[in-house]
Amino acid sequence: MSSARVAWAIARREFASLFRVPVGWLVLALYAGLWGGMFVQFVLVPGAPATLRPLFATAAWLMLPIAPAISMRLVSDELRTGSYELVATSPASDFVLAMGKFLGAGLFLLAMLVGTLPLVGVLLVVSDPMPDVGPMLAGYLSVTLLGVLFLSVGLLASTLTASQTLSFLGAMMALFVWLLATTAGRSRAPEGVAEVLAMLAITDRLEGFAKGVIDTGDVAFFIVLTGWFVLAASVCLSVRRWS
Amino acid sequence: MIEVRHLQKSFGRVHALSGVSFAVPPGQVTGLLGSNGAGKSTTIRIITGYTSPDAGWVRVGGALASHDAMRVRRSIGYLPESAPTYGEMSVQSLLRFRASLQGLRGKARKAAVGRAIDTCVLGSVRRRRVGQLSKGYKQRVGLATAILHDPPVLVLDEPSNGLDPSQITETRSLIRRLAEGRTVLVSSHILPEIERTCDRVVILAQGRLCAEGDLKELLAGGEHELVAEARFATPASRAVALDAAKAIDGVQRVLPREMDGGVARWRVGFDPSTITEPELRHTLGALLAKAGAEVRLLERERVSLEHLFLKLMEQGPPSEPEAKPAEDAA
């Protein structure tokens, strides 16, 4: 219980600090701008069905620069300024530290997604007949799961370097390679490898959500991988103590 | 109480610590000294649990850092070098956050934050952003975060770093106040500060222990010697007094030196098992008074810490590191 409180204290600080620095507001503006542009271009089309599916289907690519931008300062900035020494010497395990950081970034992601809700309102107002709410809810769930997965990868990158730039680029490159390998790369890979890549394909799973289908296997995929990356980040923090 | 035994730590090919052992007793302020690269920060980081030793062990308040890390970290209040902190937070919110990390909440947290603000005199800046504060205030904020949970052990790395003379004086008196009932380890480059603040010192050089002990004892050179300076009315009275001093039971030698203006300076070596320092001071004082001398100085000879430090640095660390297995911690 005490560990949970410590993790929550770290999460609240991370969440609040993202609103105290320009990068947090830039990320919010960038994401809202990307969604707004996509919304006008592909959703507000006269005669087209009222759905946010184009946004959810491309969520992975939209999130590619966003999640690393949120996560890049989680640990890297503390390593750079030396404030990590204060956190690391407090009576909290490395897993609690990693979890707190991850939760803080996750809360910011949720705030970012809340900022896109006016677009849903616009769609509901201008559409006749009313759009189906189910796929929208499933879509938002998918973006949330995708976002936290990407944040966990970003958190891991952030534990590896004191440079925010390297953390950002490292996470973005890793995610880009992941997306590319499991989409375009899959068709050119040998059969065995292609099967593994298919299992790791994020975009395939997002398509199901975009159609309004919530597959527990897909949900588990995101949760398990997210947990794995957060755990890996905590292991990296522990390794820092021994290096 | 902090016990450090046989610490070894390397960064690649660089041996940061080679078998360092020392103890920091409770209720005292112990200074950790050493030139750049001597291993002070590494030692402090191992004690606070920020990094782990390659070999050796640390015990804080009876708990072994390698086995009971959380208990050790809970019992330590730590001020890292340059007091790094979150500049975008207000003093109050930073202290609340730090208190939460220590597991404090509700009324206990509020009381702890209020106490730390009062102790470190931060009331006037409690709502200001830490990043906007002067270096002195930042350092005070760092000290406040270190004492929030009322830890029995304080570890302060360069607490006077970058402060102006008045801030140094304030910080010194604050550390002395905080030291009451606590075990305090202070690392600093400012030797006069250590001399004024600390009861004991630990001196490192090239990752090895050079000296450890009571500061007064070390400054006295480990020798039992009093220095007496007195002005005598006549050379004859001086000669009589000198003979009488040599005849005191327990006095091993008296090395006289003539100074300007008829002042004599004697270095009186004594055997502490026969006569204690206060007894000798009393006897010698009476003897000089009886000889009609005007006593100007009668105390144990002291060299400055700077002098001692430079001498030790010149000598260098012991050639062989203490090599002992870590298993004896249990």
Side-chain angles (χ1 to χ4, degrees):
Chain A
M1 194 62 193
S2 174
S3 296
R5 276 200 291 269
V6 171
W8 180 238
I10 295 170
R12 280 194 324 193
R13 199 209 78 79
E14 288 301 331
F15 177 67
S17 78
L18 278 163
F19 287 99
R20 292 190 189 111
V21 292
V23 71
W25 292 102
L26 277 174
V27 166
L28 286 176
L30 179 63
Y31 196 68
L34 285 172
W35 265 58
M38 294 278 291
F39 183 78
V40 171
Q41 189 70 29
F42 301 111
V43 178
L44 283 187
V45 179
T51 173
L52 290 175
R53 197 170 162 182
L55 289 175
F56 296 133
T58 54
W61 297 100
L62 285 180
M63 195 62 82
L64 195 59
I66 298 295
I70 298 172
S71 63
M72 67 180 182
R73 62 192 301 279
L74 288 175
V75 180
S76 297
D77 196 43
E78 296 225 32
L79 291 172
R80 183 183 61 81
T81 61
S83 58
Y84 181 68
E85 206 166 334
L86 278 174
V87 181
T89 53
S90 63
S93 68
D94 293 326
F95 181 72
V96 169
L97 296 182
M99 194 47 127
K101 297 260 173 203
F102 169 71
L103 282 176
L107 286 175
F108 186 80
L109 178 90
L110 287 181
M112 196 175 75
L113 291 177
V114 166
T116 65
L117 288 179
L119 298 178
V120 178
V122 170
L123 192 64
L124 291 174
V125 168
V126 302
S127 300
D128 187 20
M130 289 279 278
D132 192 356
V133 177
M136 277 196 222
L137 290 176
Y140 266 102
L141 174 65
S142 72
V143 179
T144 306
L145 290 170
L146 171 84
V148 293
L149 173 60
F150 280 19
L151 284 178
S152 67
V153 174
L155 172 67
L156 175 60
S158 186
T159 61
L160 298 173
T161 172
S163 161
Q164 287 189 53
T165 311
L166 281 181
S167 167
F168 173 78
L169 292 175
M172 200 167 73
M173 286 301 294
L175 292 170
F176 180 72
V177 169
W178 186 350
L179 289 177
L180 201 65
T182 53
T183 50
R186 207 162 83 197
S187 56
R188 298 178 188 181
E191 196 176 334
V193 176
E195 278 176 26
V196 175
L197 291 175
M199 279 167 58
L200 292 172
I202 292 170
T203 47
D204 290 3
R205 295 175 192 273
L206 290 180
E207 279 172 20
F209 283 103
K211 288 174 194 162
V213 179
I214 298 176
D215 185 334
T216 49
D218 291 340
V219 174
F221 167 83
F222 284 108
I223 291 174
V224 168
L225 279 182
T226 300
W228 190 88
F229 281 113
V230 173
L231 191 64
S234 80
V235 169
C236 284
L237 293 180
S238 298
V239 168
R240 277 193 172 275
R241 292 186 196 272
W242 293 97
S243 59
Chain B
M1 172 86 171
I2 302 173
E3 280 178 272
V4 170
R5 291 289 175 264
H6 321 302
L7 281 192
Q8 292 192 28
K9 180 78 180 176
S10 297
F11 298 103
R13 290 180 182 176
V14 178
H15 297 290
L17 295 175
S18 305
V20 169
S21 299
F22 62 86
V24 181
Q28 294 189 354
V29 182
T30 300
L32 183 61
L33 303 179
S35 47
N36 287 333
K40 302 187 301 291
S41 290
T42 303
T43 304
I44 280 181
R45 285 176 169 177
I46 290 173
I47 291 171
T48 55
Y50 183 68
T51 191
S52 303
D54 298 337
W57 52 266
V58 170
R59 207 194 292 269
V60 179
L64 208 54
S66 55
H67 289 63
D68 204 350
M70 293 303 141
R71 190 178 145 199
V72 167
R73 286 192 225 164
R74 209 169 284 123
S75 65
I76 293 178
Y78 178 37
L79 172 69
E81 190 177 356
S82 308
T85 188
Y86 305 105
E88 79 278 6
M89 294 178 89
S90 73
V91 171
Q92 198 164 255
S93 52
L94 172 70
L95 292 176
R96 273 198 216 115
F97 168 63
R98 294 285 301 151
S100 299
L101 287 191
Q102 293 294 343
L104 299 172
R105 63 193 184 106
K107 286 179 182 171
R109 187 179 68 173
K110 195 177 173 186
V113 169
R115 198 170 49 238
I117 284 176
D118 289 344
T119 306
C120 298
V121 201
L122 290 166
S124 59
V125 295
R126 65 195 303 159
R127 289 192 176 82
R128 283 182 61 186
R129 285 190 179 188
V130 178
Q132 295 173 338
L133 298 177
S134 67
K135 180 95 181 167
Y137 268 117
K138 279 183 189 163
Q139 206 73 350
R140 279 198 223 169
V141 172
L143 277 171
T145 61
I147 61 168
L148 261 175
H149 56 298
D150 196 18
V153 176
L154 278 179
V155 178
L156 312 174
D157 196 357
E158 303 283 359
S160 307
N161 202 9
L163 301 184
D164 64 35
S166 65
Q167 290 169 337
I168 288 176
T169 308
E170 284 173 20
T171 307
R172 186 198 313 148
S173 58
L174 182 58
I175 291 171
R176 288 300 324 181
R177 272 207 317 275
L178 295 175
E180 288 167 16
R182 287 191 172 99
T183 303
V184 182
L185 179 65
V186 180
S187 160
S188 180
H189 275 104
I190 308 172
L191 299 181
E193 247 340 277
I194 289 284
E195 203 168 344
R196 286 177 189 155
T197 315
C198 299
D199 307 298
R200 286 171 57 82
V201 288
V202 172
I203 301 177
L204 301 180
Q206 296 166 33
R208 292 177 193 163
L209 184 71
C210 262
E212 178 200 4
D214 183 272
L215 184 57
K216 283 179 186 163
E217 294 282 338
L218 283 173
L219 294 181
E223 292 186 18
H224 300 284
E225 204 168 71
L226 277 185
V227 174
E229 268 184 30
R231 186 198 303 274
F232 290 90
T234 61
S237 63
R238 187 177 66 217
V240 172
L242 181 61
D243 288 341
K246 284 178 180 171
I248 295 172
D249 194 20
V251 168
Q252 295 169 322
R253 63 186 177 280
V254 181
L255 303 173
R257 189 157 67 89
E258 196 70 34
M259 295 173 74
D260 290 340
V263 176
R265 181 183 170 91
W266 298 347
R267 293 164 65 97
V268 184
F270 64 97
D271 176 8
S273 61
T274 308
I275 187 167
T276 64
E277 187 190 319
E279 284 169 355
L280 178 61
R281 194 181 289 140
H282 176 76
T283 310
L284 206 52
L287 186 152
L288 290 168
K290 193 178 170 188
E294 178 198 331
V295 180
R296 291 170 52 166
L297 179 73
L298 185 54
E299 63 177 33
R300 202 149 181 175
E301 187 173 50
R302 289 169 61 86
V303 291
S304 73
L305 182 57
E306 191 174 351
H307 178 85
L308 174 72
F309 181 78
L310 291 173
K311 190 176 145 195
L312 286 169
M313 291 301 110
E314 207 171 278
Q315 287 172 355
S319 54
E320 287 299 317
E322 294 175 50
K324 276 203 126 189
E327 291 79 53
D328 62 348

